[in-house]
Amino acid sequence: MADFFETLENDMRKGADEIRKGWDAFKGSLKMAAFDLGQNEKEHLEAENAIYTWTDGDVEDFPYFFAGASTKDQAMRTLATMMMRDDRLVSPCNGVVASIDENNNTIAIVVNDEVIVAVKVCTGSVDFSKEATILVKQGEFIHLGQPLVQFNQKMHAKTKLLLVKPACTIDLKAMGFKPAASKGTQQAGTKLISK
């Protein structure tokens, strides 16, 4: 009986050593994977905490962040305005297309559980249904910089970034969002608003 327990104890020690070696190897591979993914994760988190310009053009204003916004911009919850000088709109963030309103030239994007934004081209200067091709569908996951709309020609039109959710910019400011770019000429994909 003593031999049985001695053999069992030796087998348990060997098993424990094998488990320890396996665990150490597993931890090592996790560290390597974390190191490899670290940069991508950092970029992903940064993209989640920022909104970027959606076209080439001129950043004109950040109405919702400063006092003196017009009644219309207050009602629309306009975060930023840009004069578009481009033939396309691109996604200002990673997210999911919440809605496409061709009549109002607007595409809404769910950024995360707390934030939904919409990109709008002012209807006085362009018509999505006649002068553009919508490149995304409702419910589609989209990436920062992914083309949303392709116009038939280069457009010179006023565009807006609207806040759909939260319902009040005070909440957005409380989350730590603020303008991250200066007014003036910017390329599509320039960090515009961030934490």
Side-chain angles (χ1 to χ4, degrees), residues 64 77 114-116 163-172 175:
Y64 218 60
R77 297 195 296 269
E114 298 175 311
V115 179
I116 301 174
L163 181 65
V164 178
K165 179 185 175 186
C168 150
T169 47
I170 293 169
D171 295 337
L172 195 69
M175 284 185 243

Side-chain angles (χ1 to χ4, degrees), residues 48 51 64-65 73-79 109-118 161-177 193 195:
E48 269 196 10
I51 300 168
Y64 218 60
F65 287 95
D73 278 333
Q74 288 177 22
M76 293 175 75
R77 297 195 296 269
T78 305
L79 295 174
I109 302 165
V110 177
V111 181
N112 58 41
D113 291 340
E114 298 175 311
V115 179
I116 301 174
V117 296
L161 179 71
L162 310 176
L163 181 65
V164 178
K165 179 185 175 186
C168 150
T169 47
I170 293 169
D171 295 337
L172 195 69
K173 291 176 192 175
M175 284 185 243
F177 284 94
I193 297 167
K195 284 187 177 184

Side-chain angles (χ1 to χ4, degrees), residues 85-129:
R85 300 181 197 286
D86 201 353
D87 65 350
R88 66 190 178 128
L89 296 178
V90 300
S91 179
C93 54
N94 292 332
V96 175
V97 177
S99 65
I100 300 169
D101 183 349
E102 287 190 45
N103 294 329
N104 290 302
N105 294 346
T106 305
I107 297 178
I109 302 165
V110 177
V111 181
N112 58 41
D113 291 340
E114 298 175 311
V115 179
I116 301 174
V117 296
V119 175
K120 176 177 180 56
V121 179
C122 296
T123 51
S125 52
V126 65
D127 184 342
F128 272 11
S129 62

Side-chain angles (χ1 to χ4, degrees), residues 1-2 4 10-11 28 33 40 44 58 69 75 97 101 103 108 111 130 144-145 153 161 195:
M1 192 60 123
F4 170 76
N10 287 337
D11 288 346
N40 288 337
H44 178 73
D58 298 320
V97 177
D101 183 349
N103 294 329
V111 181
K130 295 178 184 170
L144 171 65
Q153 62 185 357
L161 179 71
K195 284 187 177 184

